[in-house]
Amino acid sequence: MAAKRGTDWFWAVVVIVTVIGMTAWDSYSLVVDRRSEAVERLDALSRVVEARVGQTIRSLDFLLADAAAEFKPTYRPGDSDYNRFLTTRARFEPAALTITITTPDGTITHSTNASLVGKNVGARSYLDFFRANPSSDLLFVSEPVTSLLSRTVIFAARAKRDEKGHVQAIFVSALSPSLFSGIVEAALPSEASGAISVTNRDHTVLARAPSMDGAPIGRSLAKVPLRVAHLASGKQASIQEGVGGIDGKVRLIALRTIEPWGMVIGVSATRADILRPVLPRLIGNVAVALMVIAFAVALVRVRGSREKSRQLAQEQVLKARDYYMQVLDEMPTLVRRQDSNGQCQYVNATWTAFTGHPSTDALDQGWLEAVHPDDRAGLAKGGEHEYRLARNDGSYAWIHEVARPLRDQDGQPAGSLASGIDITESRQFQEKLQQSNAELEEFAYVASHDMREPLRMINSYMGLIERRMGTELSDEIKEFIAFARDGAQRMDRLIQDLLQYSRIGRMSAQRGMVDLNLCLDQAKNLLELAMAEQNATIVAGPLPTLFASADDMVRLFQNLIANAIKYRQPGVPPCIEIAAQRQTGAWCISVSDNGIGISREFYDRIFRIFQRLHGRDEHGGGSGIGLSICKKIVESHGGRIWVDSAGPNQGAVFSFTLPA
Ligand code: ADP
């Protein structure tokens, strides 16, 4: 079982690991796909911004290059022709707010805004740049600054040199910062956190979208790790991931340097925003994985607990089996179990001890060895038997055995269980009893038969005395003689009844199939006179035919009907009902009357011999032997007799059973 549980857990772990692996792989692919899609999009947007910013810068560069080409060092400051040229040229470049030419030290010599001529621009980064890079032929783009006209502007500047390479003049165009803002705003990524920044060569922010409070315009991003990494990559375009320089959130950023001016475009969105669309699927994946894991664990547990309870039940069954086997072994009866083919499968310890045969010898047909050869037939069929079984000392014992069919759990026949007891002693006792009963009955018969002779003598001599002495006898002596004769007659009747009683069974007609309807008719014929006298009626249902002694049955009905007439209620004609009812293995016959009834306390007593409930002269007298005869008849036929009564004057019902 432990091995089975181990296997269950092994497969559960395999399923769990597979599910986790698949979920992790799917989630990883989702994130990677989403990330690379975002990278492509950010990079494409950075390309667009690069193109548009580059175009603007290139166009300004042309403008300033044109202005430089047209410029002659001989022009006086504020030269009107040149100024006109500048003004006309500036019209073609809407990005340029002003075009101004300064000396290397910053004095304005020409400007589209004439009022500026002669003024010094002061400390400007482009002056510093050209001072530091005297040979640079590039357009310089400054940080946003406040112009002389008090506007926030960005300067684009390039220098003109003489043959010796000395800076002759610096050509500066002021640009509105909104120039870049317009470009970046149009290219914003779709994420809520999407942002684009444009910086100049010094990494100072020139434009940012979306615009923020405390705008980062003018802030330097030179030290932001993402930018440092971009520069370190040495590539013109790179993708970086990390904490952004402006809002401090983890961002995915496409950085692109606009060559040759060193401006940098950064198009970014936070990682959280980029991955947000795949979040529901990630959660779904995790939920499905957790469900599968929980299911796998629950399944293993349920299987485990089922297996446990199955094993427990099995143990209990085994324990119960052991217990009952022990009970069977300890039982003082001889127990034998047979399969449905009559083959012995088991004998208990009592059987082996009794016969001295080991239990293995008793299997199949082996147990029959111990049975007396004359008694073996039919034993394996089951049912009730009496047979002789050899004891371990070789003597035979009489066994009374009852075999009952067994059924398996599905209710199918599964052989039988026979249990037997040693009845040797009771059988011997019964035999002795039967013998002594027979002797006793013989004695009673002979005695009563012989006793009638002296009675007859008393009777006849009394009659002789009466006749001889005739008139000489006083009335008193006549009365005495009458008492003596009456006593002798009653004694004779008693002896006759006793004789009848002792004859039942011994002298009864041989048993055969007897129609009780005919027996009843005979009984009625015998009682015809009494019935007519008392105006009695008998209603009888159909009665069965069964195995019995015919004259016993007639006597049985005769006694019961005679009693029903005898114990009638004064002035009420007896009405007797006789009915038969089928029972398992027997018929139950009842004789009901409407007579004086019987109190419950006398139910047993009336069946005893010579027991009467009334005085000698009441209800026509009687010897108290009629119901004892009925009892003896019924019991000798293997039945039972009893009485029921609702009480005095409620009638009585005498019922008896006869096996059939
Ligand atoms: P006997 O009739 O000779 O007295 P029985 O053995 O026939 O003797 O009856 C015993 C007693 O049972 C009777 O004395 C009577 O009191 C009572 N007995 C018998 N049959 C009936 C009956 N049908 N109704 C009421 N009492 C009865």
Side-chain angles (χ1 to χ4, degrees):
M1 184 228 164
K4 201 165 177 199
R5 286 208 75 188
T7 319
D8 281 356
W9 276 115
F10 169 77
W11 285 113
V13 168
V14 168
V15 168
I16 290 168
V17 168
T18 310
V19 167
I20 291 176
M22 282 167 63
T23 309
W25 176 250
D26 189 56
S27 306
Y28 174 74
S29 313
L30 270 177
V31 170
V32 167
D33 287 353
R34 175 70 191 161
R35 193 177 179 283
S36 60
E37 180 272 325
V39 163
E40 269 174 36
R41 197 157 36 84
L42 295 177
D43 190 46
L45 289 172
S46 73
R47 235 183 260 274
V48 170
V49 176
E50 178 197 25
R52 294 199 56 192
V53 171
Q55 198 183 9
T56 306
I57 299 297
R58 210 166 289 117
S59 155
L60 279 168
D61 201 14
F62 278 143
L63 171 70
L64 295 180
D66 272 0
E70 209 55 41
F71 179 76
K72 294 202 175 57
T74 51
Y75 285 156
R76 282 180 298 105
D79 182 275
S80 57
D81 286 344
Y82 186 64
N83 273 8
R84 203 173 308 116
F85 163 76
L86 287 181
T87 313
T88 315
R89 187 66 185 83
R91 267 195 215 120
F92 291 101
E93 188 46 69
L97 298 174
T98 56
I99 303 174
T100 303
I101 292 100
T102 71
T103 59
D105 61 359
T107 307
I108 298 172
T109 55
H110 305 278
S111 175
T112 49
N113 187 340
S115 65
L116 297 177
V117 175
K119 291 190 177 166
N120 193 289
V121 293
R124 293 292 186 208
S125 56
Y126 52 85
L127 294 180
D128 297 340
F129 176 76
F130 288 118
R131 253 178 236 132
N133 302 283
S135 60
S136 173
D137 193 28
L138 288 175
L139 183 79
F140 174 84
V141 181
S142 80
E143 70 287 354
V145 288
T146 307
S147 71
L148 292 177
L149 299 172
S150 305
R151 295 189 296 201
T152 301
V153 293
I154 295 166
F155 292 116
R158 70 176 359 269
K160 181 172 172 115
R161 295 181 181 74
D162 57 17
E163 295 83 49
K164 287 181 189 152
H166 293 130
V167 175
Q168 286 181 328
I170 297 169
F171 296 78
V172 185
S173 174
L175 313 169
S176 164
S178 65
L179 182 67
F180 298 118
S181 307
I183 294 172
V184 294
E185 258 154 31
L188 259 184
S190 55
E191 283 84 1
S193 60
I196 303 183
S197 64
V198 180
T199 59
N200 69 0
R201 181 184 294 278
D202 297 334
H203 307 293
T204 305
V205 178
L206 302 181
R208 185 185 192 269
S211 50
M212 305 167 72
D213 285 345
I217 310 286
R219 195 197 294 179
S220 172
L221 301 181
K223 297 231 170 70
V224 174
L226 296 177
R227 184 159 298 247
V228 174
H230 168 66
L231 296 176
S233 75
K235 292 182 189 157
Q236 190 249 331
S238 76
I239 302 294
Q240 305 295 337
E241 189 171 357
V243 179
I246 289 172
D247 58 8
K249 290 183 180 162
V250 176
R251 284 181 170 268
L252 205 63
I253 186 163
L255 288 161
R256 191 169 277 277
T257 308
I258 311 176
E259 296 296 5
W261 303 292
M263 297 170 77
V264 177
I265 311 289
V267 182
S268 70
T270 60
R271 189 167 62 189
D273 271 2
I274 287 171
L275 297 181
R276 188 157 292 130
V278 297
L279 205 61
R281 237 182 100 179
L282 289 180
I283 293 170
N285 275 357
V286 172
V288 168
L290 286 177
M291 268 157 59
V292 172
I293 290 167
F295 181 72
V297 171
L299 201 70
V300 173
R301 288 238 165 129
V302 167
R303 272 174 63 93
S305 70
R306 261 200 211 152
E307 181 61 30
K308 222 176 188 175
S309 39
R310 200 183 64 79
Q311 202 203 21
L312 213 69
Q314 217 167 31
E315 274 170 16
Q316 278 169 351
V317 166
L318 285 178
K319 257 190 207 163
R321 187 176 165 277
D322 285 352
Y323 174 74
Y324 286 114
M325 291 305 277
Q326 205 183 336
V327 169
L328 282 182
D329 279 343
E330 295 298 325
M331 266 166 62
T333 51
L334 307 166
V335 178
R336 193 178 78 250
R337 202 181 69 226
Q338 303 180 144
D339 66 12
S340 33
N341 299 320
Q343 302 291 345
C344 175
Q345 293 175 316
Y346 162 82
V347 287
N348 69 347
T350 313
W351 194 94
T352 51
F354 190 86
T355 59
H357 288 273
S359 60
T360 43
D361 286 5
L363 298 182
D364 297 335
Q365 296 294 311
W367 66 280
L368 278 174
E369 286 296 313
V371 178
H372 192 285
D374 295 348
D375 300 343
R376 285 178 191 167
L379 283 187
K381 277 189 202 150
E384 204 166 338
H385 299 279
E386 283 185 9
Y387 61 88
R388 282 161 288 177
L389 187 69
R391 292 197 187 90
N392 51 15
D393 61 4
S395 64
Y396 277 105
W398 275 99
I399 304 296
H400 179 93
E401 183 183 272
V402 179
R404 298 255 178 255
L406 290 176
R407 300 205 170 265
D408 64 14
Q409 282 167 335
D410 305 325
Q412 298 301 316
S416 61
L417 189 76
S419 74
I421 49 168
D422 184 353
I423 54 159
T424 316
E425 261 182 38
S426 75
R427 212 179 149 103
Q428 284 166 353
F429 181 72
Q430 207 180 352
E431 276 166 12
K432 272 189 200 152
L433 199 71
Q434 270 170 1
Q435 202 183 342
S436 81
N437 268 354
E439 282 166 8
L440 209 66
E441 278 173 8
E442 181 71 24
F443 165 77
Y445 177 73
V446 173
S448 44
H449 196 266
D450 292 353
M451 261 155 50
R452 288 190 72 194
E453 185 52 35
L455 278 177
R456 259 196 302 273
M457 279 179 73
I458 295 170
N459 206 19
S460 51
Y461 280 101
M462 281 295 167
L464 211 62
I465 293 170
E466 239 182 347
R467 270 198 309 278
R468 290 266 176 96
M469 300 203 60
T471 49
E472 291 167 39
L473 291 174
S474 67
D475 284 349
E476 199 179 19
I477 297 296
K478 274 183 187 166
E479 200 182 359
F480 289 164
I481 291 173
F483 280 150
R485 290 185 72 181
D486 181 55
Q489 273 161 11
R490 275 196 292 118
M491 182 77 152
D492 189 53
R493 231 185 13 252
L494 257 176
I495 291 171
Q496 277 185 52
D497 284 347
L498 252 178
L499 263 174
Q500 214 183 66
Y501 182 82
S502 73
R503 274 187 189 138
I504 295 162
R506 255 174 352 113
M507 314 282 271
S508 301
Q510 230 189 345
R511 290 183 192 179
M513 292 313 286
V514 173
D515 183 351
L516 292 188
N517 295 295
L518 298 179
C519 299
L520 177 63
D521 285 345
Q522 279 186 44
K524 282 200 304 199
N525 285 341
L526 293 170
L527 293 166
E528 204 173 14
L529 193 66
M531 281 174 64
E533 267 176 17
Q534 301 307 330
N535 208 8
T537 50
I538 297 183
V539 185
L543 299 178
T545 297
L546 36 77
F547 190 76
S549 161
D551 58 358
D552 279 355
M553 291 300 111
V554 174
R555 199 169 300 131
L556 182 59
F557 279 126
Q558 192 187 344
N559 282 355
L560 293 176
I561 295 169
N563 277 354
I565 295 171
K566 202 156 66 162
Y567 298 107
R568 68 187 175 277
Q569 291 185 58
V572 182
C575 180
I576 304 154
E577 270 178 42
I578 301 174
Q581 201 191 358
R582 189 75 175 110
Q583 292 180 342
T584 9
W587 278 97
C588 179
I589 318 287
S590 59
V591 179
S592 335
D593 62 44
N594 57 344
I596 59 166
I598 303 171
S599 298
R600 181 172 288 272
E601 70 246 48
F602 302 125
Y603 281 3
D604 281 341
R605 194 171 136 190
I606 56 171
F607 289 101
R608 282 188 228 133
I609 197 159
F610 301 135
Q611 292 294 327
R612 306 196 66 244
L613 302 182
H614 304 95
R616 192 193 304 162
D617 298 325
E618 282 176 76
H619 299 285
S623 58
I625 212 165
L627 288 180
S628 327
I629 290 176
C630 293
K631 188 168 188 257
K632 198 170 175 196
I633 291 174
V634 171
E635 287 180 353
S636 71
H637 280 76
R640 198 167 74 81
I641 187 166
W642 70 96
V643 67
D644 287 304
S645 172
N649 293 330
Q650 303 282 319
V653 184
F654 284 84
S655 308
F656 58 90
T657 59
L658 291 171

